[in-house]
């Protein structure tokens, strides 16, 4: 090897070693911080709140939608959400989502859906307030308000970069496909598509739907192996504490098709507390349905942030971050919570402490044995304003 070649070789090796060293240092700093997300890497925690219902959103002839994604709430990288309303007969047109699954909770009204799977199996369902639906990523679906009043539901998607306004809509696709292609594919004259709109219709007015489930264009339904509907509020609470509140939960265990999302309805009485806890395997996206609350998030390195929430606000907690929710209003608080996993996991402060010897706890916090002896011996989960049961 010539001297010049050797110098170039040694210089490249030094640069590579320096890059590795810089990467290792950055990784070490990330480990100190407890994450690798620059959004969370500041001296102070970013906002975990977005006043979603205070926004104008997108309004059409037959409904409206307001969203909270990483564009509106930059910390919300793992999940996104939409508050959608449909007028009677309103149709959220046939569409699909390329990057995210859709999990939804009905707040009020009545909605009918159709969904198609890759194996050509399909399902049509009617949903009432308290029901949940789940559509896997990429499955085509449609929503229609079949009630006499407004239908309101919240959609949660397992990707924070997802935008409801960037879906793959049927009207947009057909409007930008050559008529002769549509004629060949669908067996009708090309002239039939002359008046098809060139823009996405999104939410359109539909005719008054029949009360009974109508026949599909293909005739009978080719039913999917797993249903897309789950009546969440019709179930007994997963946890119920008199005077404090209750929680209803649906994961893949109860709703097998929902492989990568879990949903929770948390109800807290006035003054009650969802105790400090964290989720080891999932981010958390929240929609405050009613009431007033405070949420406090702990982000390591002495960083803590508390924010106030009202009905219509969206909240977010990154995976592994400690947090708790307080009902600060005079009446009940109801929160819809979504997680980007079908395997629900959480660790509560009370259970964590109870899983250690008293002497360890006393020495860990430099406090008395007498105080530690009064700590709960089991999980608290929800505490009333007077403390744990």
């Amino acid at each position: 090897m010539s001297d010049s070649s050797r110098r170039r070789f040694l210089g490249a090796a030094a640069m590579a070693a320096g890059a590795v060293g810089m990467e290792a240092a950055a990784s070490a700093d990330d480990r100190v911080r407890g994450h690798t997300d620059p959004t969370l890497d500041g001296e102070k925690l970013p906002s975990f709140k977005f006043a979603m219902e205070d926004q104008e959103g997108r309004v059409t002839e037959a409904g409206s939608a307001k969203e909270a994604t990483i564009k509106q709430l930059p910390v919300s990288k793992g999940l996104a959400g939409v508050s959608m309303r449909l007028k009677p007969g309103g149709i959220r047109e046939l569409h699909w989502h390329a990057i995210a699954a859709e999990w939804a909770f009905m707040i009020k009204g009545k909605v009918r859906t159709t969904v198609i799977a890759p194996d050509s199996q399909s399902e049509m369902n009617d949903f009432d307030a308290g029901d949940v639906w789940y559509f896997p990523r990429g499955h085509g679906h449609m929503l229609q308000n079949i009630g006499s009043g407004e239908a309101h539901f919240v959609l949660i998607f397992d990707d924070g970069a997802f935008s409801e306004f960037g879906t793959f809509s049927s009207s947009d696709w057909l409007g930008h496909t050559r008529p002769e292609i549509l004629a060949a594919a669908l067996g009708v004259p090309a002239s039939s598509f002359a008046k098809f709109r060139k823009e996405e219709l999104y939410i359109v007015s539909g005719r008054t739907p029949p009360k009974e489930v109508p026949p599909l264009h293909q005739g009978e339904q080719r039913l999917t192996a797993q249903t897309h509907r789950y009546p969440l509020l019709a179930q007994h609470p997963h946890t119920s504490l008199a005077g404090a509140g209750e929680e209803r939960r649906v994961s893949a265990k109860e709703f097998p098709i929902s492989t990568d999302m879990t949903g929770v309805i948390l109800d807290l009485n006035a003054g009650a507390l969802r105790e400090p806890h964290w989720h080891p395997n999932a981010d958390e996206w929240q929609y405050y349905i009613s009431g007033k609350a405070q949420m406090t998030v702990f982000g390591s390195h002495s960083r803590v942030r508390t924010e106030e929430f009202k009905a219509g606000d969206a909240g977010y907690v990154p995976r592994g971050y400690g947090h708790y929710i307080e009902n600060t209003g005079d009446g009940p608080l109801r929160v819809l919570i979504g997680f980007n996993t079908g395997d629900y996991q959480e660790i509560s402060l009370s259970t964590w402490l109870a899983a250690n010897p008293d002497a360890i706890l006393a020495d860990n916090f430099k406090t008395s044995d007498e105080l530690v002896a009064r700590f709960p011996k089991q999980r608290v989960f929800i505490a009333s304003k007077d403390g744990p049961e």
Side-chain angles (χ1 to χ4, degrees), residues 68 109 129 305 340 364:
R305 186 180 183 111
N340 49 0
N364 185 95

Side-chain angles (χ1 to χ4, degrees), residues 60-63 86-87 89-93 171 201-206:
T60 76
E61 62 181 15
L86 297 179
K87 295 178 181 178
I91 298 172
R92 172 64 178 99
E93 66 162 303
S171 60
L201 296 177
Y202 192 62
I203 298 174
V204 298
S205 296

Side-chain angles (χ1 to χ4, degrees), residues 30-80:
D30 288 337
R31 286 194 295 271
V32 169
R33 284 292 188 190
H35 53 75
T36 58
D37 183 353
T39 307
L40 298 165
D41 205 25
E43 292 299 320
K44 296 182 179 180
L45 291 178
S47 177
F48 294 93
K49 169 191 171 182
F50 177 64
M52 187 164 68
E53 293 290 4
D54 290 348
Q55 313 307 309
E56 181 179 356
R58 181 173 179 177
V59 180
T60 76
E61 62 181 15
S64 64
K66 302 175 182 182
E67 66 178 5
T69 73
I70 55 172
K71 181 178 180 180
Q72 297 83 15
L73 184 60
V75 71
S76 182
K77 294 190 174 181
L79 292 150

Side-chain angles (χ1 to χ4, degrees), residues 188-351:
V188 296
S191 59
S192 304
F193 303 100
K195 294 184 178 180
F196 271 45
R197 303 277 285 273
K198 296 298 182 183
E199 71 276 4
E200 178 190 47
L201 296 177
Y202 192 62
I203 298 174
V204 298
S205 296
R207 66 193 69 184
T208 302
K211 292 183 179 180
E212 301 300 324
V213 174
L216 304 181
H217 182 70
Q218 67 188 16
E220 294 183 358
Q221 294 188 58
R222 299 170 182 167
L223 290 175
T224 53
Q226 296 176 326
T227 183
H228 298 77
R229 177 181 179 272
Y230 184 82
L232 178 57
L233 284 192
Q235 310 304 311
H236 290 295
H238 178 271
T239 299
S240 183
L241 297 168
E246 57 189 26
E247 184 212 62
R248 287 176 172 83
R249 183 189 312 158
V250 54
S251 66
K253 180 180 179 181
E254 298 84 11
F255 191 25
I257 198 171
S258 186
T259 54
D260 53 3
M261 295 187 75
T262 294
V264 162
I265 289 292
L266 176 66
D267 290 302
L268 296 179
N269 293 349
L273 167 73
R274 171 63 175 97
E275 72 159 308
H277 64 285
W278 74 93
H279 304 284
N281 67 333
D283 304 295
E284 174 176 329
W285 190 92
Q286 307 163 341
Y287 178 83
Y288 288 77
I289 296 176
S290 60
K292 294 174 60 179
Q294 275 188 353
M295 180 172 69
T296 299
V297 176
F298 167 64
S300 76
H301 261 251
S302 302
R303 296 174 305 152
V304 176
R305 186 180 183 111
T306 299
E307 302 209 66
E308 305 280 344
F309 292 83
K310 67 182 186 309
D313 288 345
Y316 187 81
V317 183
R319 181 181 61 198
Y321 276 46
H323 57 288
Y324 56 89
I325 299 173
E326 305 169 84
N327 182 347
T328 56
D330 297 328
L333 171 72
R334 171 164 284 185
V335 189
L336 170 65
I337 304 175
F339 303 91
N340 49 0
T341 178
D343 174 27
Y344 177 86
Q345 298 179 12
E346 64 92 23
I347 300 176
S348 290
L349 176 63
S350 57
T351 15

